[in-house]
Each structure stands twice: as C-alpha cells, then as structure tokens.
C-alpha cells in the first residue's frame, strides 16, 4: 500500500496568478479587492528563509539552543510577457508626485490541494508587501520574449481554504487570450542605435532596482521596501559586417552615450534607452570555420523605458 493516500498538488490545478496594489504594507486587502492576472506564467518560485541564532553555553560542545530572530521572504516570477503595466512595476522609477510605482503589490495564488483527504480543495496563498527588485527581458532567434522577475516580499501566508476576502474579483484563465510575443514580432532589424538599425541574434536587458529592505526591532519581518539606485545593464549579439559604427563606439575614448531602442513587438512593447554605452565585447573567431563572426556586446545605459512605441 502506498504511503501517499491523498491526491498530489500540481500547477495544473491552479488558477491565474494575479496581483493588486497594496494600501497598507504587508496587510491583505480584504474589502472587494480587484486582482489583475500576471499573464502567461511559466513558473513562480516562493522563498522563505528563517534566521536562527545559535546560543551556546560554557561546559558543552552542543548547542544550548536556537532562537528565531527573523523571517525573510522572496519570489521569482518567470513569464512570457505581454502586459506593460506588470513589467513597468520593475522598469519604471517611482514618481513621488503621482504616487506611481511608489507602493507595493500583493499577489494571490488559488490552487487545489488535499489536507490528508481523498479530495483536493481550493486553497489560497497570499504574497504580501511585494516590490520588484530585478526585471530581465530576453529574446533570441527562434525563441519567445521571456521575462524573469525577482521580488522582495514582506510575508507569504500559510495556505488556507478561506481567503478572508469579501467579494473579490479574481481573474480566471478565460481572460488570458493574448499570444506570447515571438522574436518574429520585432521585425528583422529590431535594435536601433544612433539611428542605425541592426539584425540581432540575442538581446537581453536588466533593471536592478536595488530595493532597500528595512526591518526594525520587535517585528521579525521586513517593515518597509524602498527603491534604491537603479542600474540598467544588458547585452546583444550582432553579426559582423553591417558597418563599423559599433566597433567605433566601443573604441571611442571617451565614449559618448547614444540613444537606442529594441522593438519586442511593434505597437505593443518597445524598450527605449538613453545614453547607452558599450562596455565589453566578445568576438570569438574559430577555425573551421564553425560559426560566422558576431560581436557579443555588453552595455549600460542611463534610462530604459518600456512603452508601446
């Protein structure tokens, strides 16, 4: 007889992963919250870390005990993005005049699991006090546009059959009908720098918001999340032969920053960058030959804005 006498939980028994803006940090919105689906989610990976401090006493090789001092939480969300508002939670700096991107988000994960029973029942898990720390968008030939986001989280609740919500609006999968964005959607010269467009083998851009997580005595959890100094980095692979402009840029001393853009999908998702500088190049030349020559440039830029055009 199997030791597992209950149905196992898995992602196919879940509903759309969704989020809503937070009114009070790390406090679940209960009165008629309206959630928005993240979109096409390939993976969510919650993290919980308990800080246990060793306590030792004279006269023994063994621990006297351990004392819990802090719980930290985080989450990775990987998806095939098509929603600018979700991505802009990580790509846009806070606007302290309008309040945009100043606060935090909370997520709901509704899924089915057993609790020692022969049937799986609906459970709710909430991710409270969430702020996107890093966002990376990437695309390569023969591939789809992918987004990897990493979040600092104030608290992840224990799964419960009761949501504690009054008349919530939680989306289902019927509202997710937009196709995933392919490398084809950007056209055959999706990257433009200083007015010149280039064919691209791979493109990647990363936003690091360097979130400051403050915690204070008596809390045991993070008490506030604040956007730090934002850093934009990325890379692209381009075939040798279009011109010598990129080679000239990286050899210039000093190098002047250039305006650039990458079209993920025309009219839907474009990354507009300012003061982009090439900071490294890897250009392997192999015998055989086994490949055509391509520059693999790393870059940094002052700003990187996601928009429809």
């Amino acid at each position: 007889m199997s030791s597992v006498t209950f149905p196992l939980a898995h992602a196919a028994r879940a509903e759309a992963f969704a989020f809503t803006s937070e009114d009070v940090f790390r406090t679940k919105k209960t009165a008629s919250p309206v959630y928005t689906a993240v979109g096409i989610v390939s993976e969510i990976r919650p993290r919980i870390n308990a800080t246990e401090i060793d306590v030792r006493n004279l006269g023994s090789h063994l621990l006297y005990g351990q004392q819990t001092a802090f719980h930290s939480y985080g989450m990775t969300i990987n998806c095939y993005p098509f929603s600018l508002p979700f991505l802009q939670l990580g790509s846009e700096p806070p606007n302290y005049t309008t309040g945009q991107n100043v606060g935090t988000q909370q997520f709901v994960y509704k899924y089915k699991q057993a609790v020692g029973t022969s049937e799986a029942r609906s459970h709710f898990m909430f991710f409270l006090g969430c702020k996107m720390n890093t966002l990376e968008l990437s695309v390569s030939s023969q591939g789809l546009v992918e987004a990897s986001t990493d979040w600092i989280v104030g608290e992840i609740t224990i799964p419960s059959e009761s949501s504690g919500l009054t008349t919530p609006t939680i989306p289902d999968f019927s509202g997710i009908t937009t196709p995933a964005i392919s490398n084809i959607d950007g056209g055959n010269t999706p990257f433009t720098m200083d007015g010149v467009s280039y064919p691209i083998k791979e493109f990647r851009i990363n936003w690091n918001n360097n979130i400051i997580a403050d915690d204070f005595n008596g809390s045991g959890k993070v008490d506030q999340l604040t956007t730090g100094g934002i850093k934009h980095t990325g890379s692209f692979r381009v075939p040798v032969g279009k011109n010598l402009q990129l080679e000239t840029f990286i050899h210039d001393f000093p190098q002047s920053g250039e305006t650039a853009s990458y079209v993920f999908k025309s009219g839907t998702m474009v990354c507009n960058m300012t003061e982009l500088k090439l900071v490294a190049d890897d250009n392997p030349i192999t015998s055989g030959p086994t490949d055509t020559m391509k520059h693999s440039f790393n870059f940094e830029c002052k700003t990187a804005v996601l928009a429809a055009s």
Side-chain angles (χ1 to χ4, degrees):
M1 179 179 177
S2 172
S3 61
V4 181
T5 58
F6 51 87
L8 299 176
H10 51 77
R13 308 186 82 162
E15 299 189 17
F17 194 54
F19 68 99
T20 187
S21 60
E22 221 166 35
D23 294 329
V24 180
F25 179 71
R26 216 179 65 209
T27 303
K28 183 169 64 178
K29 291 169 66 172
T30 58
S32 305
V34 178
Y35 287 88
T36 301
V38 171
I40 308 172
V41 178
S42 58
E43 180 184 36
I44 58 172
R45 183 166 292 186
R47 301 187 301 272
I48 303 175
N49 292 298
T51 300
E52 298 289 333
I53 298 177
D54 291 349
V55 181
R56 293 188 179 273
N57 197 12
L58 295 174
S60 175
H61 293 283
L62 304 178
L63 285 174
Y64 175 81
Q66 286 185 310
Q67 190 68 29
T68 303
F70 190 74
H71 276 182
S72 61
Y73 302 86
M75 168 177 56
T76 298
I77 305 173
N78 296 326
C79 60
Y80 301 107
F82 56 77
S83 169
L84 282 180
F86 175 72
L87 297 176
Q88 287 167 343
L89 294 173
S91 68
E92 295 298 304
N95 186 320
Y96 296 105
T97 301
T98 65
Q100 182 180 2
N101 230 15
V102 174
T104 49
Q105 310 296 313
Q106 53 189 241
F107 291 79
V108 61
Y109 181 56
K110 184 180 179 182
Y111 68 103
K112 290 185 180 294
Q113 75 157 75
V115 187
T117 57
S118 60
E119 62 177 301
R121 302 170 184 166
S122 290
H123 281 70
F124 296 84
M125 185 162 56
F126 292 91
F127 300 75
L128 307 177
C130 304
K131 204 165 183 67
M132 195 187 299
N133 191 35
T134 63
L135 163 65
E136 181 166 293
L137 289 176
S138 61
V139 61
S140 60
S141 62
Q142 303 184 37
L144 301 176
V145 175
E146 299 181 45
S148 179
T149 69
D150 196 78
W151 300 71
I152 297 179
V153 179
E155 183 178 4
I156 301 174
T157 64
I158 299 171
S160 172
E161 291 186 53
S162 172
S163 70
L165 306 179
T166 303
T167 60
T169 301
I170 300 176
D172 56 30
F173 288 114
S174 64
I176 304 174
T177 58
T178 304
I181 299 176
S182 164
N183 73 93
I184 301 296
D185 294 315
N188 57 12
T189 52
F191 179 71
T192 301
M193 184 172 176
D194 193 34
V196 179
S197 296
Y198 297 89
I200 294 294
K201 180 71 173 176
E202 299 170 359
F203 179 84
R204 175 189 63 85
I205 184 165
N206 180 280
W207 290 259
N208 188 337
N209 293 304
N210 289 298
I211 299 298
I212 302 165
D214 277 306
D215 57 88
F216 299 94
N217 288 351
S219 173
K221 301 182 182 74
V222 66
D223 289 304
Q224 193 169 107
L225 298 175
T226 305
T227 302
I230 301 171
K231 183 74 172 178
H232 306 91
T233 59
S235 64
F236 61 91
R237 293 185 69 202
V238 58
V240 171
K242 171 82 174 186
N243 54 33
L244 292 175
Q245 194 160 320
L246 298 177
E247 291 90 337
T248 301
F249 284 145
I250 198 168
H251 280 85
D252 282 347
F253 191 97
Q255 185 180 166
S256 59
E258 305 295 339
T259 299
S261 65
Y262 190 91
V263 178
F264 292 101
K265 183 175 183 179
S266 180
T268 300
M269 187 187 301
V270 178
C271 181
N272 296 302
M273 296 158 281
T274 64
E275 298 190 29
L276 185 147
K277 294 187 178 185
L278 305 177
V279 296
D281 177 25
D282 182 19
N283 179 17
I285 303 171
T286 59
S287 63
T290 57
D291 196 4
T292 56
M293 291 172 59
K294 300 177 185 69
H295 288 288
S296 295
F297 288 111
N298 290 344
F299 67 83
E300 298 179 1
C301 56
K302 180 179 179 179
T303 64
V305 176
L306 290 175
S309 61

Coordinates of all heavy atoms in Angstrom, one line a residue, residues 93-140:
P93 N 10.9 54.0 -12.6 CA 11.3 54.6 -11.3 C 10.1 55.1 -10.6 O 9.1 55.5 -11.3 CB 12.3 55.7 -11.6 CG 12.0 56.1 -13.1 CD 11.5 54.8 -13.7
P94 N 10.1 55.2 -9.3 CA 8.9 55.8 -8.6 C 8.7 57.2 -8.9 O 9.7 58.0 -9.1 CB 9.3 55.6 -7.1 CG 10.8 55.4 -7.1 CD 11.2 54.8 -8.4
N95 N 7.5 57.6 -9.0 CA 7.1 59.0 -9.3 C 6.4 59.5 -8.0 O 5.3 59.2 -7.7 CB 6.1 59.1 -10.4 CG 5.8 60.6 -10.8 OD1 5.7 61.4 -9.9 ND2 5.7 60.8 -12.1
Y96 N 7.1 60.3 -7.2 CA 6.7 60.7 -5.9 C 5.6 61.8 -6.0 O 5.0 62.2 -5.0 CB 7.8 61.2 -5.0 CG 8.8 60.0 -4.8 CD1 10.0 60.0 -5.4 CD2 8.4 59.0 -3.9 CE1 10.9 58.9 -5.2 CE2 9.3 58.0 -3.7 CZ 10.5 57.9 -4.3 OH 11.4 56.9 -4.1
T97 N 5.4 62.4 -7.2 CA 4.3 63.3 -7.4 C 3.0 62.7 -7.6 O 2.0 63.0 -7.0 CB 4.6 64.3 -8.6 OG1 5.9 65.0 -8.3 CG2 3.5 65.3 -8.8
T98 N 3.0 61.7 -8.5 CA 1.7 61.0 -8.8 C 1.5 59.7 -8.0 O 0.4 59.2 -7.9 CB 1.8 60.5 -10.3 OG1 2.8 59.5 -10.5 CG2 2.0 61.7 -11.2
G99 N 2.6 59.3 -7.3 CA 2.5 58.1 -6.5 C 2.7 56.8 -7.3 O 2.7 55.7 -6.7
Q100 N 2.9 56.9 -8.6 CA 3.1 55.7 -9.4 C 4.4 54.9 -9.0 O 5.4 55.5 -8.9 CB 3.1 56.0 -10.9 CG 3.3 54.8 -11.8 CD 3.3 55.2 -13.3 OE1 3.2 56.4 -13.6 NE2 3.4 54.2 -14.2
N101 N 4.2 53.6 -8.8 CA 5.4 52.8 -8.5 C 6.1 53.1 -7.2 O 7.2 52.7 -7.0 CB 6.4 52.7 -9.7 CG 6.7 51.3 -10.1 OD1 6.0 50.4 -9.7 ND2 7.8 51.2 -10.8
V102 N 5.4 53.8 -6.3 CA 6.0 54.1 -5.0 C 5.7 53.0 -4.0 O 6.5 52.6 -3.2 CB 5.4 55.5 -4.5 CG1 6.0 55.7 -3.1 CG2 5.9 56.6 -5.4
G103 N 4.4 52.5 -4.1 CA 4.0 51.5 -3.1 C 4.4 50.1 -3.5 O 5.3 49.8 -4.2
T104 N 3.6 49.1 -2.9 CA 3.9 47.7 -3.1 C 2.7 47.0 -3.6 O 1.6 47.5 -3.7 CB 4.3 47.1 -1.7 OG1 3.4 47.5 -0.7 CG2 5.7 47.5 -1.3
Q105 N 2.9 45.7 -4.0 CA 1.8 44.9 -4.6 C 1.6 43.7 -3.7 O 2.4 43.3 -2.8 CB 2.2 44.4 -6.0 CG 2.7 45.5 -6.9 CD 1.6 46.5 -7.2 OE1 0.5 46.1 -7.6 NE2 2.0 47.8 -7.2
Q106 N 0.5 43.1 -3.9 CA 0.2 41.7 -3.2 C -0.4 40.8 -4.3 O -1.1 41.2 -5.2 CB -0.6 41.8 -2.0 CG -2.0 42.6 -2.1 CD -2.6 42.8 -0.8 OE1 -3.7 42.3 -0.5 NE2 -1.9 43.5 0.1
F107 N 0.0 39.5 -4.1 CA -0.4 38.5 -5.1 C -1.3 37.5 -4.4 O -1.1 37.2 -3.2 CB 0.8 37.8 -5.7 CG 1.6 38.7 -6.6 CD1 2.5 39.6 -6.1 CD2 1.5 38.6 -8.0 CE1 3.3 40.4 -6.9 CE2 2.3 39.4 -8.8 CZ 3.2 40.3 -8.3
V108 N -2.2 36.9 -5.2 CA -3.0 35.7 -4.7 C -2.7 34.5 -5.6 O -2.7 34.6 -6.8 CB -4.5 36.1 -4.7 CG1 -5.0 36.4 -6.1 CG2 -5.3 34.9 -4.0
Y109 N -2.5 33.4 -5.0 CA -2.4 32.1 -5.7 C -3.5 31.2 -5.2 O -3.4 30.7 -4.0 CB -1.0 31.5 -5.4 CG -0.7 30.2 -6.1 CD1 -0.8 30.1 -7.5 CD2 -0.3 29.1 -5.4 CE1 -0.6 29.0 -8.2 CE2 -0.1 27.9 -6.1 CZ -0.2 27.8 -7.5 OH 0.1 26.7 -8.1
K110 N -4.4 30.9 -6.0 CA -5.5 30.0 -5.7 C -5.3 28.7 -6.4 O -5.1 28.6 -7.6 CB -6.9 30.6 -6.1 CG -8.1 29.8 -5.7 CD -9.4 30.4 -6.2 CE -10.6 29.6 -5.8 NZ -11.9 30.2 -6.3
Y111 N -5.3 27.6 -5.6 CA -5.0 26.3 -6.2 C -5.7 25.2 -5.4 O -6.3 25.5 -4.3 CB -3.5 26.1 -6.2 CG -2.9 25.9 -4.8 CD1 -2.6 24.6 -4.3 CD2 -2.7 27.0 -4.0 CE1 -2.1 24.5 -3.0 CE2 -2.2 26.8 -2.7 CZ -1.9 25.6 -2.2 OH -1.4 25.4 -0.9
K112 N -5.6 24.0 -5.8 CA -6.3 22.9 -5.1 C -5.2 22.0 -4.5 O -4.2 21.6 -5.1 CB -7.2 22.1 -6.0 CG -8.4 22.8 -6.5 CD -9.3 22.0 -7.3 CE -10.6 22.7 -7.7 NZ -11.5 23.1 -6.6
Q113 N -5.4 21.6 -3.2 CA -4.6 20.6 -2.6 C -5.4 19.9 -1.6 O -6.5 20.3 -1.1 CB -3.4 21.3 -1.9 CG -3.7 22.0 -0.6 CD -2.5 22.2 0.3 OE1 -1.7 23.0 0.1 NE2 -2.5 21.4 1.4
A114 N -4.9 18.7 -1.2 CA -5.5 17.9 -0.2 C -4.9 18.3 1.2 O -3.8 18.8 1.2 CB -5.3 16.4 -0.5
V115 N -5.6 17.9 2.2 CA -5.1 18.1 3.6 C -5.4 16.8 4.3 O -6.2 16.7 5.2 CB -5.7 19.3 4.3 CG1 -5.0 19.5 5.7 CG2 -5.7 20.5 3.5
G116 N -4.7 15.7 3.8 CA -4.9 14.4 4.4 C -6.2 13.8 4.0 O -6.7 12.8 4.6
T117 N -6.8 14.4 2.9 CA -8.1 13.9 2.5 C -8.0 13.3 1.1 O -7.0 13.4 0.4 CB -9.1 15.1 2.4 OG1 -8.6 16.1 1.5 CG2 -9.3 15.7 3.8
S118 N -9.1 12.6 0.7 CA -9.1 12.0 -0.6 C -9.5 12.9 -1.7 O -9.4 12.5 -2.9 CB -10.1 10.8 -0.6 OG -11.4 11.2 -0.3
E119 N -9.8 14.1 -1.4 CA -10.2 15.1 -2.4 C -9.3 16.4 -2.2 O -8.9 16.7 -1.1 CB -11.7 15.5 -2.3 CG -12.0 16.1 -0.9 CD -13.5 16.6 -0.8 OE1 -13.9 17.4 -1.7 OE2 -14.2 16.1 0.1
A120 N -9.1 17.1 -3.3 CA -8.4 18.3 -3.3 C -9.4 19.5 -3.2 O -10.4 19.5 -3.9 CB -7.5 18.4 -4.6
R121 N -9.0 20.4 -2.3 CA -9.9 21.5 -2.0 C -9.2 22.8 -2.4 O -8.0 22.9 -2.3 CB -10.3 21.5 -0.6 CG -11.1 20.3 -0.1 CD -11.2 20.3 1.4 NE -11.9 19.1 1.9 CZ -11.9 18.7 3.1 NH1 -11.3 19.5 4.1 NH2 -12.5 17.6 3.5
S122 N -9.9 23.8 -2.7 CA -9.3 25.1 -3.1 C -8.6 25.7 -1.8 O -9.2 25.7 -0.7 CB -10.4 26.1 -3.6 OG -10.9 25.7 -4.8
H123 N -7.4 26.2 -2.1 CA -6.7 26.9 -1.0 C -6.2 28.2 -1.6 O -6.0 28.4 -2.8 CB -5.5 26.1 -0.6 CG -5.8 25.0 0.4 ND1 -6.6 23.9 0.0 CD2 -5.6 24.8 1.7 CE1 -6.7 23.1 1.1 NE2 -6.1 23.6 2.1
F124 N -5.9 29.2 -0.7 CA -5.4 30.5 -1.1 C -4.1 30.7 -0.4 O -3.9 30.5 0.8 CB -6.4 31.6 -0.7 CG -7.7 31.5 -1.4 CD1 -8.7 30.7 -0.9 CD2 -8.0 32.3 -2.5 CE1 -10.0 30.6 -1.5 CE2 -9.2 32.2 -3.1 CZ -10.2 31.4 -2.7
M125 N -3.1 31.3 -1.1 CA -1.9 31.7 -0.6 C -1.6 33.1 -1.0 O -1.8 33.4 -2.2 CB -0.7 30.8 -1.0 CG 0.6 31.1 -0.4 SD 1.8 29.7 -0.5 CE 1.9 29.4 -2.3
F126 N -1.3 34.0 -0.1 CA -1.1 35.4 -0.4 C 0.4 35.8 -0.2 O 1.0 35.4 0.7 CB -2.0 36.3 0.5 CG -3.4 36.1 0.2 CD1 -4.2 35.2 0.9 CD2 -4.1 36.9 -0.7 CE1 -5.5 35.0 0.7 CE2 -5.4 36.8 -1.0 CZ -6.2 35.8 -0.3
F127 N 0.8 36.6 -1.1 CA 2.2 37.2 -1.1 C 2.0 38.7 -0.8 O 1.5 39.4 -1.7 CB 2.9 37.0 -2.4 CG 3.1 35.5 -2.8 CD1 2.0 34.8 -3.3 CD2 4.3 34.9 -2.7 CE1 2.2 33.4 -3.6 CE2 4.5 33.6 -3.0 CZ 3.4 32.9 -3.5
L128 N 2.4 39.1 0.4 CA 2.1 40.5 0.8 C 3.3 41.3 0.8 O 4.4 40.8 1.1 CB 1.4 40.4 2.2 CG 0.2 39.5 2.4 CD1 -0.2 39.5 3.9 CD2 -0.9 39.9 1.5
G129 N 3.1 42.6 0.6 CA 4.3 43.5 0.6 C 5.3 43.2 -0.4 O 6.5 43.0 0.0
C130 N 5.0 43.2 -1.7 CA 5.9 42.8 -2.7 C 6.4 44.0 -3.5 O 5.6 44.8 -3.9 CB 5.2 41.8 -3.7 SG 4.5 40.3 -2.9
K131 N 7.7 44.0 -3.8 CA 8.3 45.0 -4.6 C 9.3 44.4 -5.6 O 10.2 43.6 -5.1 CB 8.9 46.1 -3.8 CG 9.0 47.5 -4.5 CD 9.3 48.6 -3.5 CE 9.4 49.9 -4.2 NZ 8.1 50.4 -4.7
M132 N 9.2 44.7 -6.9 CA 10.1 44.0 -7.8 C 11.5 44.6 -7.7 O 11.7 45.8 -7.9 CB 9.6 44.2 -9.3 CG 10.3 43.3 -10.3 SD 9.8 43.6 -12.0 CE 8.1 43.4 -12.0
N133 N 12.4 43.7 -7.4 CA 13.8 44.1 -7.3 C 14.6 44.1 -8.6 O 15.3 45.0 -8.9 CB 14.6 43.1 -6.3 CG 15.9 43.7 -5.9 OD1 16.1 44.9 -5.7 ND2 16.9 42.8 -5.7
T134 N 14.4 43.0 -9.4 CA 15.0 42.9 -10.7 C 14.0 42.5 -11.7 O 13.1 41.7 -11.5 CB 16.2 42.0 -10.7 OG1 15.8 40.6 -10.4 CG2 17.3 42.4 -9.7
L135 N 14.2 43.0 -12.9 CA 13.5 42.6 -14.1 C 14.5 42.3 -15.2 O 15.3 43.1 -15.5 CB 12.5 43.7 -14.5 CG 11.9 43.6 -15.9 CD1 11.0 42.3 -16.1 CD2 11.1 44.9 -16.3
E136 N 14.3 41.2 -15.9 CA 15.2 40.9 -17.1 C 14.3 40.5 -18.2 O 13.5 39.5 -18.1 CB 16.2 39.8 -16.8 CG 17.1 39.6 -18.0 CD 18.4 38.8 -17.7 OE1 19.2 39.4 -17.0 OE2 18.4 37.6 -18.1
L137 N 14.4 41.1 -19.4 CA 13.7 40.7 -20.6 C 14.8 40.2 -21.6 O 15.9 40.8 -21.7 CB 13.0 42.0 -21.2 CG 11.8 42.5 -20.6 CD1 11.3 43.7 -21.3 CD2 10.7 41.5 -20.5
S138 N 14.4 39.1 -22.2 CA 15.4 38.5 -23.1 C 14.7 37.9 -24.3 O 13.5 37.5 -24.2 CB 16.2 37.4 -22.4 OG 15.4 36.4 -21.9
V139 N 15.3 37.8 -25.5 CA 14.8 37.2 -26.6 C 15.9 36.8 -27.5 O 17.0 37.4 -27.6 CB 13.8 38.2 -27.4 CG1 14.6 39.4 -27.9 CG2 13.1 37.5 -28.6
S140 N 15.8 35.6 -28.2 CA 16.8 35.1 -29.1 C 16.1 34.6 -30.4 O 14.9 34.3 -30.4 CB 17.7 34.0 -28.5 OG 16.9 32.9 -28.1

